[in-house]
Each structure stands twice: as C-alpha cells, then as structure tokens.
C-alpha cells in the first residue's frame, strides 16, 4: 500500500467550507481604511440621525461585499433601531425585486409575487420605518445589474427622497459598483440628491494576495498539502486577474483535482487545470443572470467578433423576431455591463452606426453560454 495515496475516506481539506464563495472570513485585513470610512458614514444612524450615503467602487473580488457585511455585523451589535439590508442586484435585478427584498427583511415574509406594484411595497416599507422609528440602511450590491431600463435611477431616487414623501423616514443608501472603468453616471435627478462618500477598493497588491490566500490555505487544508511553490503559483494566477474570488475558487478546484488523483498534496498541474475553469467563473456567473434574448444577442456578438449595429440587428431580428427598440436597449445593457464595447465607427454621417465588439475572448463567452 502506497502511503502517499489518499484513502477513499480521507481528505486533504481541514475545513472546505472556508472556500465557499459566501463564506465570511473571520480575519479580514487590508481593508481597514474602507471599513473605517463606511463606519463613519453609518454612525449617525446609531444616534437616530440619517446616515451619510456611500458609493463603494472597484473591480470584482476586491472585498467590497465583505466590507459591508463586516461593518453591518459590527454595527448590528450596537443598534436596535437600525435595520441593515443587503440586496444582491445580480439576483434581484428589477425595482420590484429590490423592494421585495427590503420588505422581506422588515416583515420576515415575502410580499405576494405578483399583483403588487413597487410603489405599494415602497409605501408599506416607509410607513413601517416611520411608525416604528427605525432607520433603514440599504446596500445595493452590484448595482450595475440594475442599470438597464432606468431601474437603478428609479430605485435610488425613490430611496433618497423617501423622507420628502414620508416625513420622518430615515434611509441611508450604500451603492456598490463593480467596475474597473469609468463609473456609470446616474440620472441628473439622482445626482442632485446623491452626494455620497466615495470609497475606493483598489486591486490587492501581490503581497496582500499572498497574505490573504496564505491564511485561507491554512484554514482550508491540512499542513503540507500546499507547498510554497504551489502557493506562489496560485498567488501568481490570482494576481493576473486581481480577483480574489477567482483565487478562492482556484484553491477549491485545485484541492478537488488532487483528491481525484488520490494525492495528499496539490501539484502545479492540479492548479493549472483548475485555473481554466476558475478564470471563467466570474464571466459564467454573470452571464447566467442575462435573459434568454440577451444571451442570444451576446452569442451573436461573440460569433461575429466585430460587427456594425445594422448587420447585428438583422441577425438578431431573424432569430428572435424582436424589434429595434428592444435590440437597442439590449446592446446598451451589454455595453453597460461591460460584456461588449460599442464605438461609433466614424464612418458615414447618418448617426447611429456603431461597431460592437466582445470585451472577452469570444471562445470564453461561447463556452460560458453553453
Ligand atoms: N481582505 C480580505 N481578507 C480575506 N478575504 C477576503 C478579503 N477580501 C476579499 N476576500 C474574500 O474574497 C472573496 C471576494 O470578496 P468580495 O467581498 O465578494 O469582493 P467584491 O464584493 O469586491 O467582488 C470573498 O470570498 C472574500 O471572503
Ligand atoms: Mg461583491
């Protein structure tokens, strides 16, 4: 019997649960400044005052959501009259879904799934806050998924001006934008009331990734499962994307690869083959949130690699039967969510001709669409 072989009832994972994506780490460093900033903005709520609104921005996997969860956890200990709600806009991507999430947090039951308007639920939520003298702190996480059809502007506007319609209502908004490029511009009417404290989340530096991933490895695996060499390789991969979520997924998949080989240690090859999948994790998860028509459109764009909106519309219409307005909205949504880029061609003076290109490798998009 080879004692280097893992037995069927043995495992290299000391605690695999710390590699799940919704795991909230006990130890959270390198984000002290951001945590402080958010705490200061929310602190007025503990004294019955309206909190300062915040805008958190930075690339995916830089600790934005975790920061909010940590701060909420800390503040909940000191504040009976504040209700903290985090809405994942990737999951709840309509106005109704957002307010339904808040409603559920307050009333502990879901509102009826149909036949109730946003306004109606909003009214119930605000009346509840006023009557019970509660302050609402609502985090709209990954608000970029609400950008289409003016949803983000509508939700923000309603929340930010709630006190005008419901005197005494106290609402603080934390908007989280996952983005690397130019930030979305809210509608001017939103900007006139949204003067947030801005908190930036830069990519983690190499040594920060090393520290964070090192800790996670120590918790997740038994000693000596991950050699220094393998650890460096993992940190190197994560440093390329800058996305810690990719890193944590990579640890999990590498570990599973090693177990599949009945090995007591993770090899470089285990990491390499895991990386192929982890790299696409982010893209795949966000593509899942698109509607079937949007996916059709994205697929066409990936297959064409580069095309003018005119040609693209023809193909899209043939396949879906949908009209130009819907098409136009969807192209804008894919652009806003940074799946594709759209640039005016400069050719022709007729105005609206744009060149549409995928921002990812077309093969990667097609693989995630499968
Ligand atoms: N400073 C940190 N220390 C430990 N784990 C972290 C840290 N920052 C992020 N993580 C982990 O990385 C993953 C992604 O973080 P998350 O807060 O979801 O990023 P974002 O919301 O910016 O996309 C989470 O699983 C989280 O536990
Ligand atoms: Mg997040």
């Amino acid at each position: 019997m080879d004692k280097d072989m893992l037995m069927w009832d043995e495992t290299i994972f000391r605690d695999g649960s710390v590699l799940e994506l919704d795991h909230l780490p006990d130890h959270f460093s390198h984000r002290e400044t951001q945590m402080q900033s958010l705490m200061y903005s929310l602190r007025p709520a503990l004294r019955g005052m309206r909190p300062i609104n915040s805008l958190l921005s930075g690339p995916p996997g830089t600790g934005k959501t975790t920061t909010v969860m940590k701060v909420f956890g800390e503040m909940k200990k000191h504040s009976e009259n504040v209700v903290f709600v985090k809405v994942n806009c990737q999951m709840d991507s309509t106005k109704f879904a957002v307010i339904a999430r808040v409603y559920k947090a307050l009333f502990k039951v879901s509102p009826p799934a149909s036949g109730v308007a946003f306004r109606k639920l909003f009214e119930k939520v605000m009346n509840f806050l006023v009557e019970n003298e509660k302050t609402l702190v609502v985090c709209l996480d990954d608000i970029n998924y609400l950008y289409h059809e003016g949803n983000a502007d509508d939700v923000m506007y309603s929340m930010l001006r709630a006190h005008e319609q419901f005197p005494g209502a106290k609402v603080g908004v934390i908007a989280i934008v996952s983005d690397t490029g130019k930030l979305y511009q809210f509608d001017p009417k939103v900007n006139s009331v949204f003067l947030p404290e801005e908190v930036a989340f830069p990519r983690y530096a190499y040594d920060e990734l090393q520290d964070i991933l090192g800790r996670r490895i120590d918790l997740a695996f038994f000693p000596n499962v991950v050699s220094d060499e393998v650890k460096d390789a993992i940190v190197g991969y994560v440093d390329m994307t800058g996305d810690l979520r990719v890193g944590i997924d990579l640890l999990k998949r590498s570990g599973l690869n090693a177990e599949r080989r009945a090995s007591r240690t993770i090899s470089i090859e285990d990491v390499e083959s895991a990386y192929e999948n982890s790299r696409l994790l982010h893209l795949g998860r966000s593509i899942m949130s698109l509607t079937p028509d949007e996916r059709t459109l994205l697929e066409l764009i990936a297959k064409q690699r580069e095309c003018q909106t005119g040609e693209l519309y023809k193909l899209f219409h043939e396949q879906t039967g949908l009209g130009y307005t819907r098409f136009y909205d969807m192209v804008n949504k894919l652009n806003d969510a940074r799946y594709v880029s759209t640039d005016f061609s400069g050719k022709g003076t007729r105005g609206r001709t744009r060149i549409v290109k995928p921002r990812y490798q077309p093969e990667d998009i097609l693989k995630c669409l499968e």
Side-chain angles (χ1 to χ4, degrees):
M1 196 88 225
D2 186 349
K3 73 174 173 44
D4 288 338
M5 293 284 280
L6 199 66
M7 306 298 288
W8 67 273
D9 59 345
E10 289 182 312
T11 176
I12 58 174
F13 292 98
R14 186 213 297 264
D15 179 5
S17 74
V18 303
L19 302 181
E20 295 305 326
L21 290 168
D22 53 3
H23 168 77
L24 193 62
D26 287 334
H27 184 94
F28 185 56
S29 46
H30 310 294
R31 286 302 180 225
E32 288 78 10
T33 325
Q34 287 82 354
M35 295 239 317
Q36 278 298 329
S37 176
L38 189 58
M39 293 255 216
Y40 279 129
S41 298
L42 295 181
R43 211 154 61 176
L46 305 185
R47 288 178 242 126
M49 294 188 283
R50 193 168 288 124
I52 306 288
N53 299 311
S54 300
L55 175 67
L56 280 47
S57 66
T62 52
K64 299 181 296 298
T65 302
T66 310
T67 295
V68 170
M69 296 317 287
K70 283 283 179 190
V71 169
F72 278 9
E74 199 52 42
M75 296 196 76
K76 274 179 188 166
K77 295 180 202 156
H78 308 283
S79 46
E80 300 203 330
N81 292 319
V82 188
V83 188
F84 298 92
V85 185
K86 186 187 75 114
V87 182
N88 178 349
C89 299
Q90 189 170 358
M91 256 157 58
D92 296 324
S93 66
T94 64
K95 270 187 291 186
F96 180 83
V98 169
I99 197 68
R101 183 68 59 186
V102 177
Y103 181 101
K104 191 170 178 203
L106 291 182
F107 299 106
K108 314 288 176 218
V109 287
S110 295
S114 61
V116 204
F118 170 83
R119 271 283 131 208
K120 191 87 196 156
L121 289 187
F122 188 75
E123 216 176 283
K124 288 199 168 168
V125 164
M126 291 306 149
N127 283 330
F128 176 89
L129 295 177
V130 175
E131 278 161 25
N132 295 282
E133 296 186 7
K134 300 245 186 231
T135 301
L136 171 68
V137 172
V138 60
C139 169
L140 300 170
D141 194 358
D142 287 333
I143 193 172
N144 23 323
Y145 290 94
L146 280 185
Y147 288 164
H148 57 287
E149 291 155 18
N151 278 325
D153 289 316
D154 288 353
V155 168
M156 290 288 282
Y157 194 67
S158 305
M159 297 283 182
L160 295 164
R161 301 198 58 176
H163 59 281
E164 293 179 9
Q165 220 190 334
F166 303 89
K170 292 186 205 120
V171 181
V173 176
I174 303 168
I176 302 187
V177 185
S178 239
D179 210 337
T180 32
K182 187 165 67 75
L183 286 191
Y184 175 79
Q185 289 297 311
F186 287 107
D187 190 278
K189 70 179 187 181
V190 173
N191 277 331
S192 69
V193 281
F194 188 51
L195 304 165
E197 189 68 29
E198 296 187 20
V199 189
F201 287 71
R203 275 180 63 149
Y204 287 114
Y206 188 88
D207 57 334
E208 292 172 332
L209 291 175
Q210 222 170 11
D211 175 49
I212 297 167
L213 289 168
R215 267 176 214 282
R216 205 60 75 95
I217 288 171
D218 292 345
L219 293 171
F221 298 104
F222 286 111
N224 305 322
V225 169
V226 183
S227 66
D228 285 347
E229 185 199 3
V230 166
K231 185 166 142 185
D232 286 347
I234 291 171
V235 177
Y237 274 125
V238 181
D239 192 43
M240 284 198 293
T241 62
D243 184 343
L244 250 184
R245 207 170 318 177
V246 170
I248 290 166
D249 188 64
L250 186 56
L251 290 179
K252 175 174 167 178
R253 288 181 199 264
S254 303
L256 292 174
N257 281 348
E259 283 202 343
R260 194 166 306 143
R261 300 186 295 113
S263 168
R264 293 187 182 279
T265 54
I266 296 177
S267 69
I268 295 278
E269 291 73 34
D270 292 328
V271 180
E272 279 169 358
S273 66
Y275 182 67
E276 263 313 294
N277 293 313
S278 298
R279 188 169 58 93
L280 298 183
L281 165 88
H282 189 64
L283 180 61
R285 288 203 330 152
S286 58
I287 281 180
M288 266 165 30
S289 74
L290 298 175
T291 65
D293 291 329
E294 289 161 355
R295 294 165 62 126
T296 303
L297 180 58
L298 185 60
E299 185 176 0
L300 286 173
I301 296 170
K303 284 186 174 156
Q304 298 296 307
R305 282 158 189 270
E306 177 171 334
C307 55
Q308 297 202 338
T309 39
E311 307 157 26
L312 185 62
Y313 172 61
K314 238 167 61 196
L315 293 169
F316 181 70
H317 180 75
E318 268 165 29
Q319 219 165 318
T320 62
L322 292 174
Y324 194 80
T325 317
R326 290 285 298 285
F327 165 76
Y328 188 77
D329 280 350
M330 283 183 203
V331 171
N332 283 338
K333 179 181 169 184
L334 294 182
N335 180 55
D336 292 342
R338 301 181 67 80
Y339 294 107
V340 304
S341 65
T342 60
D343 290 310
F344 289 97
S345 64
K347 280 187 291 189
T349 46
R350 293 268 172 95
R352 310 235 61 108
T353 291
R354 292 190 290 180
I355 305 284
V356 185
K357 280 190 254 182
R359 278 185 192 267
Y360 294 85
Q361 293 294 325
E363 296 75 29
D364 288 350
I365 292 181
L366 295 173
K367 197 165 163 193
C368 289
L369 280 165
E370 269 168 22

